Amino acid sequence: MLIKLAGGHLYDPEQNQQGEPGDLYIRDGVMTADPGPDAKFDQVYDVSGRIVMAGAVDIHSHIAGGNVNTARLLLPEQHRNHMARRLRHPFSTAKWSTTDSGYRYARMGYTTVVEPAMLPVNALDVHLQMADIPILDTAALAILGNDDLLLRLMRAKASQNQINDYVAWTLHATRALGLKVINAGGANAFKSNARQFDLDDIVPDYGVSSRQILQTLQTAVCQLGVPHPVHVHCNNLGMAGNVDTIVATMAAAQGLPMHLAHVQFYAYGKDGAKGFSSAAAQLLEAFNRHPNITMDVGQVLFGQTVTISGDVIAQYSRHADASPNKWVMWDAECEGSGGVVPYRYREASFVNTLQWAIGLELFLLAEAPERLFFTTDHPNGAPFTAYPELIRLLMDADYRQAYMAGLNQEALAMTLLPKLKREFTLNEMATMTRSAAAKLLGLHDRGHLAPGAIADIAVYDPAGIGRCDSLTGAFTGHPQTNVAAMFANAALVFKNGELVVQDGAVVARPNGRAQMLQPNYDARITRTVQDHFNRFYSLKLNNFAINDADFAEHPRFRLHG
């Protein structure tokens, strides 16, 4: 099938297209070059005057897994309230189904989403949940860093090659796209009653530090050639003064690639009467010194949500703030730990206002949008359905200023935000959410509109957000109220060349595919893993690993690399 999208204003940083009018061509689900004047098109869409981008890519959103299920079970009344009231923007993972997640993402123009925290023992459940999400391609990052076998190998002074084999085996067994490290060693330390765990603290009984675990796994990812850098949830999340921890973690990377997740939660100083302040500028100063580091923000937005994390130390430390007042903490003997804590971010709160402002400071002060990524750490900072609101805050300085009038003024006075007038451009938004995001994940077949890419395309109606230059297609002037509405409800969305959204409504629901990576490893590591399972697990190894038969009804996995 040959399809033409005619006359759209193209925003594709990969090809340096910044709103110039042009045509796009799709052949059998793939972007193709101009087929020539004699081509016969099966369908032609007139998108003149509209903004055209590649489908968006979310690199960090908790959409599946044990914590997500637990959140749903913990808060059933929120799901019932959502269904009864038909709220437009449900607050959290607890409030919608896998189907609803796919629909809501697709309506915003998203076509690929990454679950950043897949516990290996729970991998099959994660993939089964993601397989139930329509439209979206998905991927997951396997968690290591608190598992008993890795720490035993390190305690026994195993070679880096053996560690590499174990990491590669894990990626194979779990059908993951990359590796996640959550407060390296912290969950195991929690099991020995530690309630704080820093970068150079030692894991009880294993004799290795958090820094050693992190560097060992980072080296493995680099030596295995995994495109996405090790995805790091640092120590000391949410603590005053933790900017020192994240700066030390950047230095610990030793010049190798590393991705730091939801960094807003680590940009905290100790200044002021309350001993809690913004350290966004200090964090970005370190970020600029370390070009090997990429980060996502984890923006906080006001309202009800639920926090979910494998960082059991951080989750336990905030359980007294649960709203509503119920929470869950869990341990798994040979794996990790985690917790689920409902939370409401309040506009009158000093701390919450500071968190909101810090995230925006990080966005607006950053000099390299291609290294800084657009996330709310869904649902921890805010649900992904709030992305259009965040886009407006970044693109509209007047709206941002007006919004600040209703917040805690004492907190705002301790930040640079009231003085920041920067407004993000559509090209910068496309960089953070499309081209750079796909590159970071090693998914080079998406995030751009060049021939050969899969035809994941989002078309937005810009009516009212500014004036369009008839020659260049650039949108100038002040963004108006409906910039959020524009990004909330795309005019058209194509997934692999199939129209799936029209005028903000889902019109088709094809199955997505799971993106994965399977690096080579020495098969002898399987014996080591088998011996460990025989000794410590009730689960059989062949029930732990995912195999193609688990998805025989619809082949789901797509190998990258």
Side-chain angles (χ1 to χ4, degrees):
M1 176 175 284
L2 186 60
I3 300 172
K4 179 180 180 179
L5 276 62
H9 296 288
L10 309 181
Y11 285 85
D12 183 5
E14 185 80 2
Q15 301 183 90
N16 197 29
Q17 294 174 324
Q18 301 186 43
E20 298 83 357
D23 301 332
L24 293 177
Y25 306 94
I26 304 168
R27 188 186 296 276
D28 297 331
V30 177
M31 305 300 299
T32 188
D34 187 341
D38 297 327
K40 297 185 184 301
F41 296 100
D42 297 283
Q43 290 176 312
V44 176
Y45 295 88
D46 181 2
V47 294
S48 56
R50 294 183 170 185
I51 294 165
V52 182
M53 299 180 178
V57 178
D58 194 340
I59 69 165
H60 188 112
S61 180
H62 297 281
I63 55 173
N67 281 335
V68 172
N69 274 344
T70 301
R72 292 184 176 121
L73 292 169
L74 184 66
L75 300 165
E77 71 280 7
Q78 302 298 337
H79 179 73
R80 288 195 297 270
N81 289 343
H82 165 51
M83 298 306 292
R85 299 172 189 170
R86 300 184 64 83
L87 295 177
R88 184 176 180 183
H89 292 296
F91 76 74
S92 73
T93 296
K95 256 191 172 179
W96 60 70
S97 66
T98 51
T99 295
D100 204 22
S101 294
Y103 283 8
R104 289 174 182 273
Y105 260 118
R107 286 170 52 197
M108 296 189 299
Y110 277 79
T111 52
T112 302
V113 179
V114 176
E115 164 53 60
M118 174 174 64
L119 199 67
V121 74
N122 197 36
L124 179 58
D125 180 54
V126 171
H127 280 291
L128 288 171
Q129 289 182 52
M130 293 194 301
D132 200 42
I133 298 174
I135 303 171
L136 304 179
D137 283 350
T138 57
L141 307 180
I143 302 169
L144 290 179
N146 281 289
D147 55 299
D148 180 62
L149 179 53
L150 173 70
L151 299 183
R152 284 174 179 269
L153 289 171
M154 292 186 65
R155 183 176 63 189
K157 309 296 184 186
S159 68
Q160 183 66 53
N161 285 340
Q162 192 173 13
I163 299 292
N164 294 358
D165 288 335
Y166 175 52
V167 170
W169 179 89
T170 300
L171 295 177
H172 269 261
T174 62
R175 299 296 202 269
L177 187 65
L179 194 67
K180 175 73 172 288
V181 180
I182 300 175
N183 191 359
N188 250 300
F190 183 85
K191 296 172 186 178
S192 296
N193 291 319
R195 294 299 177 259
Q196 185 172 338
F197 196 69
D198 214 335
L199 188 60
D200 289 306
D201 288 345
I202 304 299
V203 184
D205 300 324
Y206 294 97
V208 296
S209 70
S210 185
R211 181 191 299 266
Q212 289 172 312
I213 298 167
L214 179 57
Q215 290 178 333
T216 298
L217 290 173
Q218 181 192 26
T219 299
V221 167
C222 291
Q223 291 184 356
L224 289 169
V226 176
H228 182 49
V230 62
H231 196 105
V232 179
H233 170 129
C234 299
N235 313 77
N236 295 327
L237 182 141
M239 296 177 59
N242 65 6
V243 66
D244 294 335
T245 300
I246 197 168
V247 171
T249 303
M250 291 184 193
Q254 302 176 101
L256 296 175
M258 179 184 286
H259 180 81
L260 303 179
H262 41 68
V263 297
Q264 177 278 135
F265 291 105
Y266 298 97
Y268 303 157
K270 291 183 176 180
D271 296 335
K274 292 182 169 61
F276 191 79
S277 60
S278 170
Q282 183 181 345
L283 191 158
L284 287 171
E285 181 183 3
F287 183 53
N288 291 336
R289 294 197 310 267
H290 293 89
N292 56 306
I293 301 295
T294 55
M295 308 189 304
D296 65 81
V297 171
Q299 176 69 41
V300 159
L301 296 168
F302 297 106
Q304 181 70 55
T305 191
V306 57
T307 65
I308 60 178
S309 178
D311 187 347
V312 67
I313 290 179
Q315 291 297 84
Y316 183 77
S317 72
R318 64 171 62 95
H319 74 273
D321 297 325
S323 178
N325 186 22
K326 50 183 175 179
W327 47 274
V328 173
M329 301 292 149
W330 60 268
D331 283 332
E333 285 111 332
C334 297
E335 300 279 336
S337 302
V340 178
V341 182
Y343 190 77
R344 183 174 184 84
Y345 293 101
R346 293 176 167 84
E347 295 176 340
S349 164
F350 174 88
V351 170
N352 294 164
T353 293
L354 202 57
Q355 291 175 305
W356 178 88
I358 287 169
L360 293 175
E361 283 183 297
L362 291 169
F363 276 118
L364 297 169
L365 292 171
E367 299 173 1
E370 69 278 4
R371 293 171 51 214
L372 186 74
F373 297 92
F374 183 94
T375 67
T376 61
D377 186 20
H378 165 81
N380 291 294
F384 69 79
T385 49
Y387 285 176
E389 165 70 7
L390 177 53
I391 291 172
R392 188 180 180 196
L393 287 166
L394 295 176
M395 292 187 68
D396 188 343
D398 286 348
Y399 174 70
R400 199 164 60 234
Q401 287 291 331
Y403 198 101
M404 282 188 275
L407 304 183
N408 185 295
Q409 298 302 302
E410 181 186 2
L412 289 173
M414 298 183 66
T415 75
L416 299 173
L417 186 62
K419 298 179 180 180
L420 299 180
K421 306 302 181 185
R422 178 180 177 184
E423 293 179 332
F424 270 67
T425 66
L426 288 168
N427 193 60
E428 288 173 319
M429 294 306 307
T431 297
M432 285 191 299
T433 61
R434 271 85 174 170
S435 59
K439 280 184 181 178
L440 179 70
L441 296 167
L443 301 178
H444 300 295
D445 62 350
R446 66 198 66 207
H448 60 90
L449 300 171
I454 60 175
D456 287 4
I457 303 169
V459 179
Y460 301 100
D461 185 352
I465 74 162
R467 297 183 300 276
C468 177
D469 187 299
S470 60
L471 294 178
T472 67
F475 287 85
T476 59
H478 188 69
Q480 300 300 319
T481 302
N482 68 344
V483 67
M486 183 185 81
F487 281 103
N489 292 288
L492 299 171
V493 178
F494 296 85
K495 182 72 188 83
N496 294 324
E498 179 180 357
L499 182 65
V500 295
V501 171
Q502 187 167 19
D503 296 328
V506 174
V507 296
R509 49 166 298 160
N511 291 326
R513 299 188 70 179
Q515 312 301 303
M516 66 174 184
L517 188 78
Q518 297 202 296
N520 295 325
Y521 62 91
D522 187 329
R524 287 178 293 182
I525 193 66
T526 306
R527 174 63 66 86
T528 300
V529 178
Q530 182 68 71
D531 290 346
H532 186 72
F533 266 70
N534 290 345
R535 185 176 179 187
F536 297 110
Y537 279 76
S538 58
L539 180 70
K540 294 183 182 297
L541 186 58
N542 60 356
N543 294 131
F544 176 96
I546 297 173
N547 58 66
D548 293 336
D550 294 320
F551 294 91
E553 292 184 5
H554 49 90
R556 173 162 172 77
F557 296 109
R558 180 171 182 173
L559 182 64
H560 278 269

